Amino acid sequence: MNSVEKSLLSDSHIDDEVLAKTLRSMMGRKVDYADLYFQASQHESWVLEDGIVKEGSYNIERGVGVRAISGEKTGFAYSDEISPEALQQAADAAKGIADSGTGATVKAFTRQSPIQVYQAVEPLGSLTQEQKIDLLHKIEAHARQTDSRVKQVIASISGVYETILISASDGTYGTDIRPLVRLNCSVLVEENGKRERASAGGGARTDYSYFFEVEPGDNKARYLAYAEESVRLALVNLVAIEAPAGTYPVVLGAGWPGVLLHEAVGHGLEGDFNRKGSSAFSGKIGQQVTSELCTIVDDGTLANRRGSITIDDEGTPGQYNVLIEKGILKGYMQDKHNAGLMGVKPTGNGRRESYAHLPMPRMTNTYMLAGESSPEDIIKSVKKGIYAPNFAGGQVDITSGKFVFTTSEAYLIEDGVITSPVKGATLIGNGPEAMKRISMVGNDLKLDAGVGICGKDGQSIPVGVGQPTLKIDEMTIGGTQ
């Protein structure tokens, strides 16, 4: 018995027989599939604003979610108490769905030994309370020392320690320990009455020691680099001119701009949207949907990455899934329910916010593979256009593929040279159309710093994005000039 089983099951007087009995009680109503998802998590956050600790919180969450599937219908119930009695009550509620299934039997549990993509560390105890607050003070001091125009600094740190256990009627049985840490620095700069705010940060599935490590290729600890980056971004926007409006070539920077790829393409490749035919990519497997320069993957197996998963929230091991290969659509991201209805295998993308939520097809780390062009050659190829290395956020309509994205850092490209910074630039387009207009892909693949949060149907989960520098020949820019 491992530590997860002990803390989630045996301490609550639940064993394999109780799990199997609960599942069998649901299958008696001609249910196709049933599963039990146990979770316990600890979460803390600290916020320092102008030298004062403004927030310190600690939360504990513990419970079980029970699901029964019959055809396209799902019955779901959850309890914040883990006990045999509460488990059975939730099961009785979940199985109250139409009895039109096959009445499948409960298979013997097979304990999995998936490849661990992060260590089972406990981040919250990796620093003392005093050390956490001291770290925030150091971030603030460094940001202020970086430039005298810094007038306000907000530094925050958060950590999560989560354990999960899944057992299902198909014999699935898996456990996982999931650490997650995040650090952020936000600054306000002012000069001649003009103010700008910017933020930077990062995170990973590890403990707080991550922020004291030196980023590869850099010569300073990550927490210092975050402080400097937030100041740099704010100062860029302090001198930025108004963005032009019109249709221009756009060069997207490496790394975080992959959030556009995540929204404009990634969501459209999730199984539920395609099973229902509501995605712009529905029914197009085997067809060319992007430029032939594009190969896009969803990879839950990257070591320590924010979006990585040893197993997903249905017990399927995290996988490396090729979604689009050289422009050809190869497949969708699937959970068990949608995969079964579509006659394909699950891809390790069944994810949920907590035990109180249903799993659904969600991304892990979604990124475009590197191409052959140098970033310098890509910039040189543009006579007049926009270079966008950072984004604030955006929205997409899954059905039409239309998106709107706001840049947080952007520049003019004039005669093959990056010139003036611009602010207020909004990228407007259609995901599939924009992807077909990609004419150059850089050799500089980069992943984001570890800050991504994805929302879908009211559920938020950690994800990763990434891409190399790439050129889109034509895109509408919403500006103010």
Side-chain angles (χ1 to χ4, degrees):
M1 178 178 293
N2 63 34
S3 61
V4 177
E5 291 174 292
K6 184 177 187 304
S7 64
L8 285 174
L9 297 187
S10 63
D11 289 354
S12 300
H13 308 292
I14 295 173
D15 57 17
D16 282 14
E17 181 50 40
V18 173
L19 298 177
K21 180 182 177 182
T22 304
L23 291 168
R24 284 196 297 269
S25 74
M26 288 193 283
M27 305 308 283
R29 288 284 297 270
K30 295 186 178 179
V31 167
D32 299 325
Y33 171 88
D35 63 11
L36 312 172
Y37 179 86
F38 298 86
Q39 176 196 20
S41 64
Q42 303 172 53
H43 177 274
E44 72 168 352
S45 65
W46 296 90
V47 179
L48 184 81
E49 184 174 339
D50 291 335
I52 301 171
V53 177
K54 287 293 182 74
E55 180 184 320
S57 67
Y58 176 79
N59 301 305
I60 297 176
E61 190 175 38
R62 181 180 170 89
V64 58
V66 180
R67 178 174 60 154
I69 294 175
S70 181
E72 292 192 10
K73 297 180 179 179
T74 299
F76 179 71
Y78 66 90
S79 171
D80 56 8
E81 176 190 346
I82 298 179
S83 69
E85 296 76 22
L87 186 60
Q88 190 58 56
Q89 288 175 1
D92 290 341
K95 70 182 181 183
I97 58 177
D99 54 349
S100 58
T102 58
T105 58
V106 176
K107 296 181 180 179
F109 297 137
T110 302
R111 280 169 166 75
Q112 303 180 56
S113 299
I115 297 172
Q116 299 290 317
V117 296
Y118 35 78
Q119 297 299 310
V121 296
E122 197 282 272
L124 279 64
S126 61
L127 292 179
T128 66
Q129 177 179 311
E130 292 74 20
Q131 289 172 324
K132 294 165 192 172
I133 294 171
D134 181 59
L135 172 59
L136 297 180
H137 280 295
K138 287 179 177 177
I139 293 170
E140 179 188 9
H142 192 70
R144 292 185 183 278
Q145 291 167 7
T146 299
D147 196 280
S148 61
R149 289 167 287 184
V150 174
K151 302 303 179 186
Q152 182 188 53
V153 181
I154 301 174
S156 62
I157 190 171
S158 65
V160 179
Y161 179 68
E162 179 179 288
T163 58
I164 66 159
L165 184 149
I166 302 130
S167 63
S169 60
D170 63 359
T172 296
Y173 187 102
T175 63
D176 196 14
I177 294 175
R178 298 171 173 173
L180 189 65
V181 292
R182 167 86 189 266
L183 186 66
N184 193 72
C185 179
S186 174
V187 302
L188 177 73
V189 298
E190 182 178 5
E191 185 176 38
N192 299 325
K194 186 179 180 182
R195 295 181 170 189
E196 290 290 342
R197 186 180 294 279
S199 63
R205 287 202 177 277
T206 181
D207 62 26
Y208 291 134
S209 64
Y210 176 80
F211 301 120
F212 297 91
E213 297 171 359
V214 174
E215 186 76 35
D218 205 342
N219 60 355
K220 62 179 73 68
R222 286 189 174 97
Y223 77 91
L224 297 175
Y226 299 155
E228 291 180 14
E229 176 67 1
S230 64
V231 174
R232 184 193 70 81
L233 286 171
L235 294 178
V236 164
N237 286 312
L238 199 60
V239 298
I241 61 175
E242 297 298 320
T247 301
Y248 297 95
V250 173
V251 176
L252 302 180
W256 179 243
V259 70
L260 190 149
L261 182 76
H262 168 104
E263 294 287 355
V265 178
H267 277 297
L269 297 179
E270 291 169 336
D272 48 355
F273 296 127
N274 289 282
R275 175 175 68 82
K276 298 170 186 175
S278 59
S279 167
F281 295 99
S282 295
K284 294 186 178 180
I285 289 182
Q287 298 181 30
Q288 183 169 347
V289 294
T290 71
S291 160
E292 62 183 16
L293 299 175
C294 301
T295 295
I296 299 168
V297 303
D298 184 81
D299 185 2
T301 68
L302 295 171
N304 303 326
R305 295 297 305 182
R306 181 175 173 85
S308 295
I309 46 174
T310 296
I311 57 174
D312 72 4
D313 295 328
E314 297 178 308
T316 306
Q319 297 175 28
Y320 176 92
N321 297 301
V322 178
L323 305 174
I324 295 172
E325 185 174 26
K326 296 182 178 179
I328 305 299
L329 180 58
K330 293 294 184 178
Y332 305 121
M333 291 168 278
Q334 301 283 8
D335 63 351
K336 285 185 178 180
H337 190 195
N338 287 280
L341 292 170
M342 295 178 74
V344 296
K345 292 182 179 180
T347 59
N349 291 96
R351 305 189 66 192
R352 60 172 109 200
E353 182 177 317
S354 77
Y355 70 88
H357 299 82
L358 275 169
M360 63 180 95
R362 305 291 300 270
M363 285 172 271
T364 58
N365 303 297
T366 310
Y367 56 96
M368 182 186 295
L369 300 190
E372 298 180 356
S373 300
S374 72
E376 295 77 16
D377 287 343
I378 294 175
I379 296 295
K380 287 177 183 177
S381 74
V382 179
K383 182 168 180 60
K384 184 177 182 181
I386 297 289
Y387 172 56
N390 268 303
F391 285 95
Q395 294 178 316
V396 64
D397 182 289
I398 300 297
T399 303
S400 67
K402 293 180 180 178
F403 63 80
V404 178
F405 270 84
T406 305
T407 60
S408 58
E409 181 185 13
Y411 303 85
L412 292 178
I413 303 175
E414 298 173 293
D415 295 323
V417 178
I418 296 172
T419 58
S420 303
V422 296
K423 68 175 182 176
T426 302
L427 307 189
I428 304 166
N430 175 283
E433 290 178 9
M435 298 300 291
K436 288 178 180 177
R437 292 176 181 153
I438 293 175
S439 60
M440 299 179 79
V441 176
N443 56 13
D444 58 339
L445 170 62
K446 181 181 175 184
L447 299 174
D448 74 289
V451 298
I453 297 174
C454 175
K456 177 180 175 181
D457 288 353
Q459 294 191 42
S460 295
I461 59 168
V463 296
V465 300
Q467 67 175 41
T469 300
L470 58 87
K471 177 185 175 184
I472 302 175
D473 283 337
E474 188 178 276
M475 186 176 285
T476 301
I477 305 297
T480 52
Q481 191 181 93

